[in-house]
Amino acid sequence: CAFVTMANRAQANLAISALHMVKIIPGMSSPMQVKYADGEAEKFEHKLFVGMLPKTIDEASLHSIFSQFGDISEAVVLRDRATNTSRGCGFVKFTSRAAADRSIEELNGKKRIEGAPGALVVRYADQDRDKQQKYHMQTMSMPFNPMFGPSPGFGMGVGMGMGMGNQMGIPPQLGWQVPQAGGFKAFVSIY
């Protein structure tokens, strides 16, 4: 495993396309995997969440609504697994931030599509790190029981005596002891 920093995005893309699953290093049996490091690709994505879509919308219609603002690399409608109908929301990825910004300005709260419950909601989609931060903030705002961690109000906590560690929601920076089979074990985490 190694990390390489390229001078610019074009060089990084060139290296990925030339080497990923193509080049076999002597002594290895499989081709090397070359891709953006975790979190790097998101810097170049301009992914929008789109809400208040009608149940009848498809990807082509979603694409056509947003394509007037710039080049789109992906348009996805979230669907119910059982019925395959739209869940009323989706995602659109633009190739430029300016196009994403224009679509938010022009559509958010202003455009209503026939059959939709209200005007479109258009905003930048949460990245994985944003979701983790929101979860952490929600966990920290819950009432705290030093024995069982944050309590969402339903009692003693999850995983008592099962060695569940941080799955119980105990903030790692507090270092509370977590019930384990056969005694207590200090819970330590490094952020």
Side-chain angles (χ1 to χ4, degrees):
C1 172
F3 292 91
V4 177
T5 303
M6 305 302 286
N8 57 49
R9 183 177 176 192
Q11 288 181 350
N13 287 336
L14 183 62
I16 290 169
S17 64
L19 301 173
H20 180 67
M21 300 305 287
V22 174
K23 175 78 173 160
I24 299 176
I25 297 174
M28 300 298 291
S29 59
S30 302
M32 63 166 46
Q33 295 181 24
V34 181
K35 60 184 181 177
Y36 282 106
D38 289 346
E40 288 298 309
E42 289 87 15
K43 292 178 183 177
F44 306 115
E45 287 185 349
H46 311 290
K47 184 177 182 179
L48 302 180
F49 167 81
V50 183
M52 295 301 214
L53 293 171
K55 300 286 185 189
T56 56
I57 197 160
D58 60 13
E59 281 76 5
S61 299
L62 183 61
H63 189 280
S64 95
I65 292 166
F66 283 86
S67 63
Q68 63 183 314
F69 301 103
D71 292 333
I72 294 173
S73 60
E74 183 179 36
V76 176
V77 175
L78 297 183
R79 301 193 174 281
D80 180 274
R81 290 182 189 178
T83 64
N84 200 35
T85 58
S86 166
R87 292 178 58 196
C89 60
F91 295 95
V92 174
K93 283 186 189 177
F94 280 97
T95 58
S96 81
R97 183 166 187 93
D101 289 342
R102 278 193 309 273
S103 71
I104 292 171
E105 179 66 32
E106 295 292 322
L107 300 175
N108 185 45
K110 297 176 182 174
K111 178 164 178 77
R112 185 175 181 152
I113 302 172
E114 185 177 336
L120 288 176
V121 173
V122 183
R123 61 175 169 76
Y124 278 98
D126 291 339
Q127 300 295 333
D128 286 338
R129 66 180 174 275
D130 298 330
K131 292 176 193 172
Q132 290 170 355
Q133 186 175 26
K134 283 181 182 178
Y135 173 79
H136 182 70
M137 293 306 292
Q138 289 171 344
T139 302
M140 292 301 293
S141 68
M142 291 180 189
F144 190 78
N145 175 329
M147 186 67 166
F148 301 108
S151 172
F154 57 81
M156 293 186 44
V158 179
M160 179 179 146
M162 302 290 224
M164 297 299 285
N166 202 31
Q167 293 175 10
M168 289 175 60
I170 294 176
Q173 68 273 20
L174 298 179
W176 292 101
Q177 290 187 345
V178 179
Q180 299 284 327
F184 282 86
K185 180 178 178 183
F187 177 73
V188 179
S189 179
I190 300 172
Y191 270 57

